[in-house]
mmCIF file of all heavy atoms in Angstrom:
data_model
loop_
_atom_site.group_PDB
_atom_site.id
_atom_site.type_symbol
_atom_site.label_atom_id
_atom_site.label_comp_id
_atom_site.label_asym_id
_atom_site.label_seq_id
_atom_site.Cartn_x
_atom_site.Cartn_y
_atom_site.Cartn_z
ATOM 1 N N PHE A 1 0.824 -1.176 0.020
ATOM 2 C CA PHE A 1 0.001 0.023 -0.006
ATOM 3 C C PHE A 1 0.904 1.239 0.009
ATOM 4 O O PHE A 1 1.598 1.504 0.954
ATOM 5 C CB PHE A 1 -0.898 -0.024 1.222
ATOM 6 C CG PHE A 1 -1.706 -1.277 1.387
ATOM 7 C CD1 PHE A 1 -1.205 -2.370 2.036
ATOM 8 C CD2 PHE A 1 -2.989 -1.349 0.848
ATOM 9 C CE1 PHE A 1 -1.911 -3.557 2.145
ATOM 10 C CE2 PHE A 1 -3.717 -2.544 0.928
ATOM 11 C CZ PHE A 1 -3.163 -3.617 1.617
ATOM 12 N N THR A 2 0.838 1.990 -1.078
ATOM 13 C CA THR A 2 1.697 3.147 -1.192
ATOM 14 C C THR A 2 1.077 4.384 -0.520
ATOM 15 O O THR A 2 1.739 5.442 -0.411
ATOM 16 C CB THR A 2 2.009 3.476 -2.657
ATOM 17 O OG1 THR A 2 0.757 3.830 -3.325
ATOM 18 C CG2 THR A 2 2.639 2.304 -3.355
ATOM 19 N N HIS A 3 -0.169 4.298 -0.089
ATOM 20 C CA HIS A 3 -0.864 5.378 0.583
ATOM 21 C C HIS A 3 -1.515 4.854 1.882
ATOM 22 O O HIS A 3 -1.055 3.862 2.420
ATOM 23 C CB HIS A 3 -1.859 6.022 -0.325
ATOM 24 C CG HIS A 3 -1.254 6.796 -1.437
ATOM 25 N ND1 HIS A 3 -0.639 6.195 -2.539
ATOM 26 C CD2 HIS A 3 -1.166 8.144 -1.671
ATOM 27 C CE1 HIS A 3 -0.145 7.106 -3.380
ATOM 28 N NE2 HIS A 3 -0.457 8.292 -2.862
ATOM 29 N N ASP A 4 -2.531 5.516 2.344
ATOM 30 C CA ASP A 4 -3.167 5.183 3.620
ATOM 31 C C ASP A 4 -4.080 3.972 3.610
ATOM 32 O O ASP A 4 -4.702 3.708 2.591
ATOM 33 C CB ASP A 4 -3.946 6.383 4.164
ATOM 34 C CG ASP A 4 -3.054 7.635 4.400
ATOM 35 O OD1 ASP A 4 -1.811 7.429 4.489
ATOM 36 O OD2 ASP A 4 -3.585 8.717 4.472
ATOM 37 N N VAL A 5 -4.139 3.259 4.760
ATOM 38 C CA VAL A 5 -4.992 2.127 4.931
ATOM 39 C C VAL A 5 -5.909 2.391 6.111
ATOM 40 O O VAL A 5 -5.444 2.648 7.225
ATOM 41 C CB VAL A 5 -4.205 0.820 5.132
ATOM 42 C CG1 VAL A 5 -5.187 -0.354 5.396
ATOM 43 C CG2 VAL A 5 -3.311 0.539 3.984
ATOM 44 N N ASN A 6 -7.246 2.301 5.927
ATOM 45 C CA ASN A 6 -8.213 2.523 6.982
ATOM 46 C C ASN A 6 -9.103 1.288 7.139
ATOM 47 O O ASN A 6 -9.911 1.025 6.225
ATOM 48 C CB ASN A 6 -9.010 3.797 6.704
ATOM 49 C CG ASN A 6 -9.918 4.157 7.899
ATOM 50 O OD1 ASN A 6 -10.003 3.466 8.882
ATOM 51 N ND2 ASN A 6 -10.602 5.319 7.753
ATOM 52 N N ILE A 7 -8.980 0.622 8.246
ATOM 53 C CA ILE A 7 -9.861 -0.566 8.523
ATOM 54 C C ILE A 7 -10.508 -0.384 9.893
ATOM 55 O O ILE A 7 -10.872 -1.343 10.548
ATOM 56 C CB ILE A 7 -9.115 -1.897 8.426
ATOM 57 C CG1 ILE A 7 -7.845 -1.800 9.310
ATOM 58 C CG2 ILE A 7 -8.750 -2.266 7.035
ATOM 59 C CD1 ILE A 7 -7.072 -3.150 9.377
ATOM 60 N N SER A 8 -10.677 0.859 10.300
ATOM 61 C CA SER A 8 -11.182 1.159 11.648
ATOM 62 C C SER A 8 -12.703 0.893 11.743
ATOM 63 O O SER A 8 -13.416 0.919 10.748
ATOM 64 C CB SER A 8 -10.941 2.625 11.975
ATOM 65 O OG SER A 8 -11.587 3.481 11.077
ATOM 66 N N ASN A 9 -13.145 0.568 12.968
ATOM 67 C CA ASN A 9 -14.555 0.379 13.299
ATOM 68 C C ASN A 9 -15.228 -0.732 12.488
ATOM 69 O O ASN A 9 -16.459 -0.716 12.396
ATOM 70 C CB ASN A 9 -15.273 1.695 13.069
ATOM 71 C CG ASN A 9 -14.794 2.790 13.997
ATOM 72 O OD1 ASN A 9 -14.897 2.670 15.243
ATOM 73 N ND2 ASN A 9 -14.189 3.847 13.475
ATOM 74 N N SER A 10 -14.494 -1.629 11.940
ATOM 75 C CA SER A 10 -15.069 -2.752 11.191
ATOM 76 C C SER A 10 -15.243 -3.947 12.115
ATOM 77 O O SER A 10 -14.470 -4.099 13.053
ATOM 78 C CB SER A 10 -14.205 -3.123 9.977
ATOM 79 O OG SER A 10 -14.278 -2.083 9.011
ATOM 80 N N LYS A 11 -16.222 -4.767 11.793
ATOM 81 C CA LYS A 11 -16.508 -5.985 12.621
ATOM 82 C C LYS A 11 -16.656 -7.178 11.674
ATOM 83 O O LYS A 11 -17.492 -7.151 10.769
ATOM 84 C CB LYS A 11 -17.763 -5.788 13.442
ATOM 85 C CG LYS A 11 -17.629 -4.713 14.501
ATOM 86 C CD LYS A 11 -18.866 -4.620 15.312
ATOM 87 C CE LYS A 11 -18.788 -3.508 16.369
ATOM 88 N NZ LYS A 11 -20.025 -3.376 17.201
ATOM 89 N N LEU A 12 -15.833 -8.196 11.863
ATOM 90 C CA LEU A 12 -15.796 -9.378 11.037
ATOM 91 C C LEU A 12 -16.102 -10.583 11.903
ATOM 92 O O LEU A 12 -15.467 -10.796 12.942
ATOM 93 C CB LEU A 12 -14.454 -9.564 10.334
ATOM 94 C CG LEU A 12 -14.096 -8.626 9.163
ATOM 95 C CD1 LEU A 12 -13.840 -7.237 9.633
ATOM 96 C CD2 LEU A 12 -12.887 -9.190 8.449
ATOM 97 N N ASN A 13 -17.003 -11.485 11.468
ATOM 98 C CA ASN A 13 -17.213 -12.741 12.146
ATOM 99 C C ASN A 13 -16.110 -13.736 11.810
ATOM 100 O O ASN A 13 -15.904 -14.710 12.550
ATOM 101 C CB ASN A 13 -18.568 -13.319 11.746
ATOM 102 C CG ASN A 13 -19.689 -12.546 12.306
ATOM 103 O OD1 ASN A 13 -19.536 -11.610 13.091
ATOM 104 N ND2 ASN A 13 -20.944 -12.919 11.929
ATOM 105 N N GLY A 14 -15.378 -13.516 10.739
ATOM 106 C CA GLY A 14 -14.260 -14.324 10.363
ATOM 107 C C GLY A 14 -12.980 -13.720 10.783
ATOM 108 O O GLY A 14 -12.891 -13.029 11.852
ATOM 109 N N TYR A 15 -11.915 -13.825 9.999
ATOM 110 C CA TYR A 15 -10.609 -13.312 10.379
ATOM 111 C C TYR A 15 -10.196 -12.147 9.482
ATOM 112 O O TYR A 15 -10.748 -11.910 8.418
ATOM 113 C CB TYR A 15 -9.539 -14.427 10.306
ATOM 114 C CG TYR A 15 -9.273 -14.922 8.903
ATOM 115 C CD1 TYR A 15 -8.341 -14.332 8.054
ATOM 116 C CD2 TYR A 15 -9.991 -16.041 8.415
ATOM 117 C CE1 TYR A 15 -8.105 -14.806 6.780
ATOM 118 C CE2 TYR A 15 -9.740 -16.521 7.098
ATOM 119 C CZ TYR A 15 -8.829 -15.878 6.317
ATOM 120 O OH TYR A 15 -8.593 -16.334 5.032
ATOM 121 N N ILE A 16 -9.204 -11.399 9.949
ATOM 122 C CA ILE A 16 -8.544 -10.354 9.163
ATOM 123 C C ILE A 16 -7.086 -10.778 9.019
ATOM 124 O O ILE A 16 -6.424 -11.014 10.039
ATOM 125 C CB ILE A 16 -8.706 -8.949 9.789
ATOM 126 C CG1 ILE A 16 -7.942 -7.897 9.029
ATOM 127 C CG2 ILE A 16 -8.284 -8.976 11.280
ATOM 128 C CD1 ILE A 16 -8.597 -7.472 7.753
ATOM 129 N N ASP A 17 -6.622 -10.865 7.770
ATOM 130 C CA ASP A 17 -5.222 -11.251 7.539
ATOM 131 C C ASP A 17 -4.467 -10.075 6.928
ATOM 132 O O ASP A 17 -4.666 -9.735 5.758
ATOM 133 C CB ASP A 17 -5.176 -12.456 6.619
ATOM 134 C CG ASP A 17 -3.783 -13.086 6.516
ATOM 135 O OD1 ASP A 17 -2.830 -12.397 6.958
ATOM 136 O OD2 ASP A 17 -3.673 -14.191 6.013
ATOM 137 N N MET A 18 -3.588 -9.459 7.727
ATOM 138 C CA MET A 18 -2.761 -8.356 7.272
ATOM 139 C C MET A 18 -1.286 -8.773 7.339
ATOM 140 O O MET A 18 -0.384 -7.939 7.518
ATOM 141 C CB MET A 18 -2.995 -7.158 8.139
ATOM 142 C CG MET A 18 -4.316 -6.483 7.956
ATOM 143 S SD MET A 18 -4.448 -5.435 6.510
ATOM 144 C CE MET A 18 -3.373 -4.085 6.978
ATOM 145 N N SER A 19 -0.999 -10.057 7.219
ATOM 146 C CA SER A 19 0.348 -10.524 7.345
ATOM 147 C C SER A 19 1.160 -10.218 6.086
ATOM 148 O O SER A 19 0.663 -10.206 4.950
ATOM 149 C CB SER A 19 0.409 -12.032 7.617
ATOM 150 O OG SER A 19 -0.252 -12.744 6.579
ATOM 151 N N ASP A 20 2.451 -9.853 6.296
ATOM 152 C CA ASP A 20 3.374 -9.602 5.201
ATOM 153 C C ASP A 20 3.008 -8.442 4.343
ATOM 154 O O ASP A 20 3.378 -8.444 3.155
ATOM 155 C CB ASP A 20 3.571 -10.890 4.376
ATOM 156 C CG ASP A 20 4.034 -12.057 5.215
ATOM 157 O OD1 ASP A 20 4.905 -11.860 6.073
ATOM 158 O OD2 ASP A 20 3.516 -13.144 5.013
ATOM 159 N N VAL A 21 2.238 -7.498 4.848
ATOM 160 C CA VAL A 21 1.913 -6.311 4.044
ATOM 161 C C VAL A 21 2.982 -5.258 4.214
ATOM 162 O O VAL A 21 3.774 -5.309 5.179
ATOM 163 C CB VAL A 21 0.523 -5.745 4.431
ATOM 164 C CG1 VAL A 21 -0.535 -6.762 4.233
ATOM 165 C CG2 VAL A 21 0.535 -5.154 5.825
ATOM 166 N N ASP A 22 3.048 -4.302 3.295
ATOM 167 C CA ASP A 22 3.981 -3.165 3.390
ATOM 168 C C ASP A 22 3.126 -1.899 3.183
ATOM 169 O O ASP A 22 2.426 -1.775 2.171
ATOM 170 C CB ASP A 22 5.024 -3.298 2.285
ATOM 171 C CG ASP A 22 6.132 -2.269 2.517
ATOM 172 O OD1 ASP A 22 5.944 -1.086 2.214
ATOM 173 O OD2 ASP A 22 7.204 -2.672 2.982
ATOM 174 N N ILE A 23 3.193 -1.002 4.132
ATOM 175 C CA ILE A 23 2.384 0.186 4.163
ATOM 176 C C ILE A 23 3.281 1.426 4.148
ATOM 177 O O ILE A 23 4.067 1.645 5.108
ATOM 178 C CB ILE A 23 1.438 0.218 5.369
ATOM 179 C CG1 ILE A 23 0.572 -1.042 5.398
ATOM 180 C CG2 ILE A 23 0.570 1.488 5.326
ATOM 181 C CD1 ILE A 23 -0.257 -1.166 6.649
ATOM 182 N N ALA A 24 3.167 2.251 3.128
ATOM 183 C CA ALA A 24 3.956 3.475 3.041
ATOM 184 C C ALA A 24 3.269 4.627 3.733
ATOM 185 O O ALA A 24 3.934 5.567 4.186
ATOM 186 C CB ALA A 24 4.240 3.823 1.570
ATOM 187 N N GLY A 25 1.955 4.617 3.775
ATOM 188 C CA GLY A 25 1.207 5.682 4.443
ATOM 189 C C GLY A 25 0.857 5.322 5.857
ATOM 190 O O GLY A 25 1.612 4.622 6.548
ATOM 191 N N SER A 26 -0.258 5.810 6.352
ATOM 192 C CA SER A 26 -0.680 5.552 7.711
ATOM 193 C C SER A 26 -1.668 4.350 7.773
ATOM 194 O O SER A 26 -2.303 4.029 6.771
ATOM 195 C CB SER A 26 -1.386 6.788 8.273
ATOM 196 O OG SER A 26 -2.590 7.066 7.571
ATOM 197 N N LEU A 27 -1.718 3.748 8.941
ATOM 198 C CA LEU A 27 -2.650 2.618 9.164
ATOM 199 C C LEU A 27 -3.564 2.957 10.331
ATOM 200 O O LEU A 27 -3.125 3.262 11.421
ATOM 201 C CB LEU A 27 -1.873 1.328 9.478
ATOM 202 C CG LEU A 27 -2.692 0.155 9.990
ATOM 203 C CD1 LEU A 27 -3.683 -0.316 8.903
ATOM 204 C CD2 LEU A 27 -1.785 -1.016 10.421
#
């Protein structure tokens, strides 16, 4: 991700996989 990533206030009954990501902006 060369810019911002927003996953705030989300609800998942399953899983969230953010492994091995690269973020240039804010998370």
Side-chain angles (χ1 to χ4, degrees):
F1 305 88
T2 63
H3 290 72
D4 297 341
V5 177
N6 187 355
I7 51 176
S8 63
N9 297 296
S10 290
K11 295 181 181 179
L12 286 70
N13 290 354
Y15 66 87
I16 176 75
D17 190 346
M18 291 280 290
S19 58
D20 303 318
V21 302
D22 191 284
I23 304 172
S26 64
L27 170 63

